[in-house]
Amino acid sequence: MTDLKNLALTASAVLLAVLILATLVRAVIGPRFTDRVIAVNMINTMAVAIIAILSVRLKQDFLVDVALVYALLSFLTVVVMTRLVLVRHWRKCRKTEPTDAKKEAEEHAE
């Protein structure tokens, strides 16, 4: 039974590693910045899962704590990246806004 459990844990860790590589390709190729943010989030989530699997496989309890800390850092990374996307979007909107405001001011001046 232990051999089967170890085999299943190892196979799932290898599968997650392959999926991380596929997601990394998507992060590099992704046409939009939001695609890259989601890909990085998925990579971090799969890394947390691998750490949890290794915790069970190696029978090391401290790896669960490492996985929790990594998950918190991953969350903060996504929040910061999302904030960057929003700021970038706001700046784009602000650049186009003054021309519209000038047109309105000219219309009201007449």
Side-chain angles (χ1 to χ4, degrees):
M1 184 64 180
T2 359
D3 291 335
L4 183 62
K5 182 177 96 173
N6 287 338
L7 180 66
L9 290 173
T10 304
S12 61
V14 169
L15 178 66
L16 283 171
V18 170
L19 290 173
I20 284 176
L21 290 176
T23 309
L24 184 62
V25 169
R26 182 63 181 169
V28 172
I29 293 174
R32 293 181 296 173
F33 188 72
T34 52
D35 293 334
R36 293 183 175 106
V37 170
I38 291 170
V40 167
N41 189 22
M42 284 301 303
I43 289 171
N44 288 334
T45 302
M46 287 187 275
V48 169
I50 287 176
I51 294 170
I53 289 170
L54 286 175
S55 172
V56 173
R57 171 86 165 82
L58 300 175
K59 298 177 184 166
Q60 298 292 327
D61 294 336
F62 73 93
L63 286 175
V64 175
D65 297 333
V66 172
L68 287 171
V69 170
Y70 190 79
L72 289 172
L73 290 174
S74 168
F75 172 74
L76 287 176
T77 302
V78 171
V79 168
V80 168
M81 290 175 74
T82 305
R83 176 73 178 160
L84 289 174
V85 170
L86 286 175
V87 167
R88 194 164 127 190
H89 177 71
W90 288 335
R91 285 184 183 165
K92 265 188 200 176
C93 290
R94 204 179 294 167
K95 284 182 182 178
T96 60
E97 191 174 299
T99 57
D100 295 337
K102 286 180 184 177
K103 288 179 184 177
E104 288 180 19
E106 289 174 1
E107 289 174 2
H108 291 295
E110 295 175 358

